[in-house]
Amino acid sequence: MSENITLKEEFNNICECFENYPLAKHSTFKIGGPAEYCAFPKTVGELCALLTIAKMNGVRARVFGGASNLLLSSQGVAGLVILTTKMKGISLENGCVRALAGTRLSELCNFAARESLCGAEFLFGIPGTVGGAVYMNAGAHGGEVSHILVESICYDTEKDEILTLTAEEHELAYRQSVFSKRPLIVLSSLFKLCKGEHAEIEAKMKALTEKRRQSQPLDMPSAGSVFKRPSAGFAGKYIEDAGLKGLRIGGAEVSRKHAGFIVNAGGATSQDVLELIEKTKEEVFRLFGVMLETEIMYIE
Ligand SMILES: Cc1cc2nc3c(=O)[nH]c(=O)nc-3n(C[C@H](O)[C@H](O)[C@H](O)COP(=O)(O)OP(=O)(O)OC[C@H]3O[C@@H](n4cnc5c(N)ncnc54)[C@H](O)[C@@H]3O)c2cc1C
């Protein structure tokens, strides 16, 4: 950083950036203290420039999308948080669909439906972005990102270079990918969909939305399923059978509608949620000998 320009000014020269920025309103959990710096790039160039400046200044940078799979510390997050939700765009490319990392999954699905392309309907209703979905290999109703992904264009923050990752190189498995091992940021991804009937695609998306509405506590803030699916059975079923529905610590509560969700019932802190996760794990292990693995990621 040069002597007479602050780091915030450097980030601000690239795109909108705030200091001590409250994160809660951007997380689906509505939990999270201030980010030391929070930036909203609109283009791939801005995102890469932010990462470069942060690195040059020894500042840790973290890239989030919809913050829908995260538990952000109520104490705040040090360094630079980059939210990609303004970096969006979708286009057709040789019969495939290319989407910028910050594109909402609902926008991707609506685009595909308008083009009468099927295969992405399972993503409808997942409140994340393309980048987050690729990182998580998001899935629902028997579909997952690995079924439709062709490639991603990524930024390697270690080598400062842009590269193309084939579907195989993503190493996608159940809620798992290469991105937890390699310093890669998704800039855009390409999806292969099939020609379908517009009305059928719309009808499927509508039916899946209704299914979610009936089974999930969509009227309360959450980060979706808290735990991964165990090797046998379902996390929600174990939690329900353990009698934990409605268990509350502070403002965090095991959902009464879907025991696999923890909801923010009002004023929950990240500590409330962490304690409730631990209590749930302990009880399920004590009663059924099953060790639940957390799917949502704690960020501090
Ligand atoms: C009500 C509800 C229902 C849900 N239902 C489902 C479901 O059915 N299936 C499912 O799989 N998930 C579900 N989720 C969880 C979540 O929506 C998904 O995991 C989603 O894919 C996360 O996307 P995101 O953009 O919010 O990622 P974030 O939560 O912002 O980030 C998740 C991870 O991805 C990384 N990341 C984000 N963007 C990038 C990028 N551009 N490059 C590299 N890394 C990046 C982050 O650093 C972080 O490690 C649900 C959540 C809620 C709240």
Side-chain angles (χ1 to χ4, degrees), residues 5-268:
I5 177 167
T6 66
L7 191 49
K8 178 175 173 268
E9 284 166 339
E10 282 214 50
F11 291 142
N12 247 323
N13 283 340
I14 299 166
C15 67
E16 199 175 30
C17 177
F18 303 91
E19 214 167 344
N20 287 321
Y21 184 81
L23 288 173
K25 65 179 171 196
H26 291 283
S27 101
T28 55
F29 238 144
K30 301 292 170 239
I31 296 174
E36 193 175 352
Y37 302 99
C38 186
F40 296 86
K42 286 192 177 134
T43 65
V44 161
E46 289 176 359
L47 172 55
C48 296
L50 286 167
L51 292 166
T52 307
I53 298 287
K55 186 174 157 183
M56 276 165 48
N57 287 281
V59 170
R60 180 167 186 192
R62 286 183 273 205
V63 178
F64 304 142
S68 64
N69 206 49
L70 305 177
L71 174 61
L72 301 169
S73 169
S74 296
Q75 303 299 312
V77 178
L80 172 66
V81 168
I82 300 174
L83 292 174
T84 62
T85 42
K86 291 189 176 172
M87 197 184 87
K88 50 192 182 173
I90 315 178
S91 55
L92 286 175
E93 195 177 299
N94 302 324
C96 294
V97 178
R98 160 103 38 208
L100 288 179
T103 308
R104 293 278 180 184
L105 296 172
S106 54
E107 290 176 46
L108 174 68
C109 295
N110 284 326
F111 177 90
R114 279 197 303 276
E115 296 294 329
S116 297
L117 292 170
C118 64
E121 299 92 318
F122 70 91
L123 288 171
F124 197 64
I126 301 181
T129 62
V130 164
V134 169
Y135 184 109
M136 295 303 301
N137 188 20
H141 320 293
E144 59 177 41
V145 165
S146 68
H147 297 168
I148 56 172
L149 185 68
V150 178
E151 62 172 46
S152 295
I153 296 178
C154 299
Y155 184 73
D156 185 322
T157 58
E158 213 165 84
K159 298 182 181 152
D160 292 319
E161 65 181 28
I162 290 177
L163 55 98
T164 300
L165 219 59
T166 63
E168 203 173 46
E169 287 168 334
H170 285 70
E171 298 177 23
L172 297 179
Y174 176 65
R175 303 294 175 269
Q176 206 174 296
S177 68
V178 74
F179 298 97
S180 56
K181 294 189 286 191
R182 286 177 64 185
L184 298 175
I185 301 301
V186 180
L187 302 176
S188 73
S189 296
L190 189 68
F191 301 100
K192 175 109 190 89
L193 305 176
C194 306
K195 209 69 200 138
E197 282 294 324
H198 176 77
E200 272 177 35
I201 298 166
E202 291 276 2
K204 192 165 175 191
M205 281 167 23
K206 205 170 159 202
L208 294 179
T209 304
E210 183 52 25
K211 205 170 163 187
R212 272 182 193 275
R213 208 184 53 77
Q214 279 179 14
S215 60
Q216 298 181 355
L218 301 182
D219 53 341
M220 296 181 93
S222 80
S225 297
V226 174
F227 302 101
K228 292 187 180 181
R229 203 171 48 228
S231 52
F234 293 94
K237 179 81 169 72
Y238 286 117
I239 299 165
E240 184 168 353
D241 291 349
L244 299 177
K245 265 187 166 179
L247 179 70
R248 190 163 171 159
I249 295 182
E253 188 176 286
V254 174
S255 166
R256 292 161 200 269
K257 192 164 183 182
H258 186 317
F261 282 52
I262 287 177
V263 292
N264 179 353

